[in-house]
Amino acid sequence: MIRLLLADDHRLVREGLRALLEREPGFEVIAEAGDGRAAVELVAELRPEIVLLDLAMPGVNGLEALEGIRQASPKTKVLLLSMFADEEYILRAAWGGAAGYLLKDSPVDELLEAIRAAGSGRFYLSRRIADERLDRLISRGTKRGLLTPREREVLALIARGLKNSEIAQELGLSPKTVSTHRASLMAKLGLHTKAGLTGYALLKGLGFGFDSPAHRGGGGGRPRSG
């Protein structure tokens, strides 16, 4: 059973999500929050497996709440929901450790797919965003340094969900060497979580093609309301 917390400032949205999810086996909505601050407090108290978190909320917005949730309950996965496909928001979500970024106009089957992907530790990127082939998205995202061919290989295998030992076997390396490459990738890309690395790989087109149906985001500015 996946325990979920819903965070959105619109009651009708929360009620709609609850109705959809509670019809599905294996999902349990344990709480709702109408703003980011309440979401962080509830996560600290209830420790849900997954939070569906609206990006644009008054007061503490989704990106700010994401940081608070990661601190309060590191094992809780956060799936950001948004009306906006803005590249800066997607990158900030991935760098902040989100488990995925889903557009609010996505179909129900994709919502369920995104939740299951987050629950299994895979970064999920909304199909429509991925289908637009966002190669340009990462051009501003490489904070420092260029990736070596070996680092690109390791990153592609991370995007496929392989563990260090599996990557080592695939590339004929030692697990310690793979760990070194992973640390170098995080340092060069300014990422701090596996989810962030996976999101980078997917957005850059490594590991999976954007035309695949199995699509699994720093920038400034404050998320718009809506």
Side-chain angles (χ1 to χ4, degrees):
M1 183 68 69
I2 298 177
R3 299 162 62 250
L4 300 113
L5 186 147
L6 310 179
D8 193 292
D9 59 318
H10 295 95
R11 173 180 278 185
L12 286 175
V13 172
R14 298 198 307 271
E15 291 180 349
L17 285 171
R18 177 184 283 272
L20 287 170
L21 294 170
E22 290 186 338
R23 292 204 304 262
E24 295 295 322
F27 294 147
E28 178 187 8
V29 178
I30 62 171
E32 299 178 17
D35 59 68
R37 190 180 307 279
V40 175
E41 293 173 352
L42 284 169
V43 167
E45 176 185 353
L46 301 174
R47 311 281 173 162
E49 279 76 41
I50 295 178
V51 177
L52 301 186
L53 183 64
D54 183 24
L55 176 71
M57 291 185 289
V60 177
N61 66 48
L63 291 170
E64 294 165 340
L66 170 63
E67 181 179 0
I69 290 170
R70 295 279 301 163
Q71 292 175 355
S73 181
K75 292 185 178 181
T76 295
K77 306 294 196 308
V78 178
L79 179 61
L80 277 168
L81 305 181
S82 176
M83 293 296 297
F84 313 119
D86 297 49
E87 50 195 58
E88 291 184 359
Y89 295 159
I90 301 168
L91 282 174
R92 289 174 67 190
W95 288 339
Y101 192 99
L102 185 69
L103 294 176
K104 281 189 169 183
D105 60 359
S106 300
V108 173
D109 71 302
E110 187 175 8
L111 170 64
L112 302 177
E113 180 184 357
I115 293 172
R116 294 188 178 105
S120 65
R122 292 179 287 123
F123 184 91
Y124 190 93
L125 178 64
S126 196
R127 293 174 193 159
R128 181 158 66 83
I129 298 172
D131 285 342
E132 292 171 356
R133 305 185 68 87
L134 299 179
D135 295 306
R136 69 186 186 282
L137 180 60
I138 300 302
S139 62
R140 71 180 66 180
T142 303
K143 289 187 172 181
R144 48 189 180 276
L146 297 174
L147 303 186
T148 67
R150 180 65 82 187
E151 286 169 344
R152 289 177 62 85
E153 289 177 334
V154 170
L155 185 56
L157 294 176
I158 290 172
R160 285 169 49 191
L162 273 65
K163 300 177 182 178
N164 280 5
S165 58
E166 296 169 328
I167 295 173
Q169 183 175 9
E170 181 84 11
L171 298 179
L173 304 172
S174 70
K176 183 176 181 181
T177 299
V178 174
S179 294
T180 300
H181 284 309
R182 186 189 289 268
S184 177
L185 285 166
M186 288 183 171
K188 287 184 176 182
L189 302 177
L191 303 172
H192 307 290
T193 66
K194 179 181 177 181
L197 276 177
T198 303
Y200 180 97
L202 295 172
L203 289 169
K204 192 62 176 174
L206 300 171
F208 299 98
F210 284 145
D211 294 329
S212 165
H215 300 305
R216 309 297 181 245
R222 186 176 180 84
R224 293 164 286 181
S225 61

